[in-house]
Every structure is written in structure tokens, then in C-alpha cells.
Amino acid sequence: IAKKWKEDDLESTWIEPTKKKYDDTFHPELVPAGFQWHFAKVLKDAHPVATKLPSWLREESLQQVWEEMHRFVVLIYLSTRSPDTKHGN
């Protein structure tokens, strides 16, 4: 994903143009959430890098996939907690 991101300059060729394409009428209930609204816009016109099923997901056992996903989610949760308020960002 990182290689494709850099090679195709996906920030300039996909993310930014897609975010600018939609205004406040696109899922207005998400506008106050900010990140969720932008995420919804980007996934509305998803690039294959965001939708292609990775090989590890097809090759690993379901049990292993769930364990790795749980670990990943916990790491993201912990890394986004504010050191001051102890709440997520």
C-alpha cells in the first residue's frame, strides 16, 4: 500500500480531489464528526488500493485474522488516546 501510495501520489490524485468533490450535502449527519465525513467521501469513490482484498486475508485462518485485527485495533485505540485527558482523539 505504501509503495502504491507513493508511486501513484494517491494523496494528490485520489484523496484530496475526492474530498473536494463533495460538499456539506453529502452525508450531512457526518459533517460535525469531521474525520468520519472525509472518510465516507473517500470511500464513496474508493481507489482499488482501499478495496482490494489483501493476500494475507485470503491465506490466513479466520482465527488468526481476528486475533491480528483485535491487536491492531487495540494499538490504534491506545495510540490515539490523549495523554492529558486519557480520551480518544
Side-chain angles (χ1 to χ4, degrees), residues 1-2 4-22 26 35 37-52:
I1 292 173
K4 189 74 170 162
W5 176 266
K6 186 174 181 175
E7 286 177 353
D8 293 355
D9 190 18
L10 294 180
E11 184 172 10
S12 298
T13 61
W14 168 45
I15 301 291
E16 292 305 324
T18 303
K19 286 168 52 175
K20 291 176 185 173
K21 181 177 173 181
Y22 299 99
F26 178 81
F35 173 76
W37 181 56
H38 289 293
F39 194 60
K41 291 188 290 183
V42 169
L43 290 181
K44 170 79 170 134
D45 296 333
H47 185 279
V49 76
T51 59
K52 184 178 176 188

